[in-house]
Amino acid sequence: MPRVLVLPGDGIGVEVTKVSLDILEILGKKHGVEFEFETGLFGGSSIDAHGIPVTKEVLDKAKASDAVLMGAVGGPKWENLEHAKKPESGLLAIRKELDAFANLRPAVVYPALADASTLKRDVVEGTDIMVVRELTGGIYFGTPRGIDKISDGEEKGYNTLVYTTHEIERIARVAFDIARKRKKRVTSIDKANVLEVMQLWRTIVTKVREEEYPDVELEHLYVDNAAMQLIRRPKSFDVMLAGNLFGDIISDEAAQLTGSLGMLPSASIGKGALYEPVHGSAPDIAGQDIANPIASLLTTAMMLKYSLNLDKAAVEIEDAVKRVLEKGYRTADIYQEGTKKVGCAEMGRLVAEELNG
Ligand code: NAD
C-alpha cells in the first residue's frame, strides 16, 4: 500500500493538488492499488495554524511516507516575515529532512504546444529531456565562504566549489538509472578544462558508467558548450547530469524550451522523495479556478514512476494529458487563438475522461 503525504500548501497549490488527487483515485481503482493518503499543512497555511512553515509532525510523516506530493507555498500574506519563518524555508527543511540530494527536472515539448516555445517549432518539437541536478553539495554549500575585509576599501568575496567521490557517484547513479528507463543516454556537464573539482567529476562519472552502466551511452560537455547545444539541438539530449550550480542554470534553460511554467513538474529525491511542480502559489490567479493543473499532474506521474513503481499508471497520465492538448483544450496560460479555453477543474475532468475512456 503506497503511503503518500499530500501537502497542498497555498494559493493554486490547493487547486492543482486536488486535481491530482482525483486522478490518483481513478488510477488506484483502475490498477487495484490502494493509496494511503495523509494530508498536512505546509507553508503559509501551516504558519497561520502553528506559527511555523512546517511542524515536526509533518516532517516525521514525510520521512515515514513513500513519497510526498506537494502543491506550492508562499504568498503576499507571509512575504514580510523573517527568513526562517517564511513559507519557503519550510521547503528547505523538508528537502533536508528527506536528504533529497537529486533534483529531477524534465523538459518535454508537446507537439500541440511547440508554438508556445520561443524557439522555432522544428528545433524544439520532440524535445524530451531530464535534467538531473545535484542539490545538496557544490558551491552553494561549500566552505570556506564569506566576504572578508582585506584592506581599507578592499573586500574579498569567496565561495568553494567542492565535490567528493561519494557525492559524485550517488548523483551519477541516479542519472544512469533514469537513463535506463528512457533512451539510455547521459550527457554529463562540467568545466573539466578549467576546474580540478570538475576533472574529478568527469573521472568519477566515467568510472561509474564503465563499472556499473556499460549499456548507457555517456557524453561529456563543458557547461558553456552545453548551454549552446541545448538551444541548438535540444532533441538530441536524453538525460543531462550536472552539479548544483550548472544544473540550476541548465534546468531553467531547458524549461524555457517548453514555453510555460504551468507545464513543468519536478522531484527532489534521496532517502525520501518530494514531488512538486516548478511553479509557485501564483497569488495573482489563486482561487479563480484558472490555474493549469498539468504541472501537478505530470509531477504526480513522476511520483508514480520514480517512487511507487507504477510506471504504467504514470505513462497513462502523460498520454491522457497529451491527448487532451491534442484535442485543443488549454488553460489560460497556454491558450492560443483557435483553441478551447478551460479552467483548472475542467482540465482535470478532461484528463479523467481520457483515463476512464
Ligand atoms: P509563480 O510561479 O507563483 O507565478 C509566476 C507567474 O506564472 C504568475 O503570473 C502566475 O499566475 C503564473 N503561473 C504559475 N503557475 C501557473 C499555473 N499552474 N497555471 C497558470 N499560471 C501559472 O511565481 P511568483 O509569482 O514569483 O511567486 C508567488 C509565490 O510563490 C511567492 O510567495 C514565491 O516565493 C512562491 N514560490 C513557491 C515555489 C514553490 O512552492 N516551490 C516556487 C516558486 C515561487
Side-chain angles (χ1 to χ4, degrees):
M1 211 193 294
R3 291 175 73 177
V4 178
L5 175 65
V6 183
L7 303 174
D10 310 312
I12 64 164
V14 179
E15 300 163 52
V16 298
T17 305
K18 169 155 191 343
V19 170
S20 288
L21 288 179
D22 290 347
I23 295 298
L24 279 173
E25 202 185 312
I26 292 171
L27 287 170
K29 280 190 194 134
K30 204 169 164 184
H31 292 272
V33 180
E34 246 182 76
F35 294 103
E36 195 183 308
F37 292 117
E38 273 213 74
T39 305
L41 293 177
F42 192 55
S45 58
S46 174
I47 293 172
D48 286 349
H50 305 292
I52 46 174
V54 61
T55 60
K56 183 171 181 311
E57 192 195 347
V58 167
L59 290 177
D60 287 344
K61 279 184 187 164
K63 268 207 292 203
S65 306
D66 294 306
V68 180
L69 180 63
M70 209 196 87
V73 294
K77 186 175 172 191
W78 307 284
E79 232 160 54
N80 297 323
L81 296 172
E82 65 177 273
H83 186 70
K85 286 192 180 148
K86 278 191 178 163
E88 291 77 4
S89 67
L91 260 179
L92 298 181
I94 202 163
R95 284 186 190 140
K96 189 164 172 234
E97 198 71 28
L98 297 176
D99 197 9
F101 66 86
N103 186 225
L104 315 185
R105 287 269 301 263
V108 178
V109 177
Y110 291 91
L113 295 182
D115 292 324
S117 173
T118 44
L119 297 189
K120 294 190 195 97
R121 172 180 277 272
D122 63 318
V123 174
V124 291
E125 194 170 359
T127 295
D128 182 351
I129 300 170
M130 173 70 84
V131 179
V132 176
R133 166 188 169 194
E134 202 287 329
L135 201 57
T136 53
I139 198 162
Y140 294 168
F141 297 94
T143 51
R145 61 190 297 157
I147 301 174
D148 292 349
K149 189 173 173 188
I150 46 179
S151 66
D152 274 350
E154 192 73 5
E155 289 179 302
K156 179 177 80 171
Y158 53 97
N159 291 86
T160 305
L161 176 45
V162 53
Y163 273 115
T164 60
T165 309
H166 147 83
E167 283 176 308
I168 303 168
E169 280 172 352
R170 67 178 185 174
I171 193 71
R173 287 192 187 106
V174 171
F176 288 124
D177 281 335
I178 288 174
R180 273 189 174 153
K181 288 191 168 199
R182 297 168 49 98
K183 295 186 209 122
K184 294 196 176 177
R185 272 206 315 273
V186 171
T187 302
S188 175
I189 296 164
D190 60 42
K191 193 70 186 167
N193 49 341
V194 181
L195 303 169
E196 284 81 355
V197 53
M198 290 283 114
Q199 280 172 17
L200 181 70
W201 177 279
R202 190 174 281 217
T203 305
I204 302 294
V205 172
T206 306
K207 189 162 167 274
V208 170
R209 186 248 166 197
E210 273 168 11
E211 290 176 357
E212 300 170 41
Y213 301 88
D215 54 315
V216 180
E217 236 180 87
L218 172 66
E219 79 168 330
H220 301 279
L221 287 184
Y222 298 135
V223 62
D224 43 344
N225 189 21
M228 277 203 296
Q229 300 307 328
L230 188 53
I231 49 171
R232 198 171 78 91
R233 53 173 177 95
K235 276 182 263 196
S236 71
F237 294 106
D238 180 21
V239 174
M240 299 183 92
L241 163 66
N244 208 344
L245 172 64
F246 297 160
D248 194 0
I249 298 163
I250 289 290
S251 60
D252 268 18
E253 189 187 351
Q256 175 55 31
L257 299 171
T258 71
S260 171
L261 206 47
M263 298 287 298
L264 296 169
S266 85
S268 302
I269 62 175
K271 280 197 195 110
L274 174 70
Y275 292 85
E276 48 175 324
V278 171
H279 64 72
S281 59
D284 53 336
I285 59 165
Q288 299 174 39
D289 189 32
I290 56 173
N292 187 348
I294 294 179
S296 177
L297 285 170
L298 298 176
T299 299
T300 304
M302 287 183 81
M303 176 178 83
L304 294 171
K305 201 181 290 183
Y306 296 116
S307 282
L308 307 183
N309 258 323
L310 292 165
D311 290 44
K312 195 160 172 286
V315 173
E316 280 175 15
I317 295 186
E318 290 163 359
D319 287 347
V321 165
K322 229 178 267 175
R323 286 199 298 275
V324 170
L325 292 173
E326 272 157 19
K327 287 181 179 173
Y329 295 103
R330 303 280 191 275
T331 43
D333 57 314
I334 51 173
Y335 174 78
Q336 284 168 311
E337 235 180 79
T339 60
K340 292 168 260 188
K341 199 187 277 185
V342 295
C344 179
E346 178 63 4
M347 182 57 95
R349 201 194 56 73
L350 288 162
V351 172
E353 204 173 271
E354 289 294 332
L355 289 171
N356 285 324

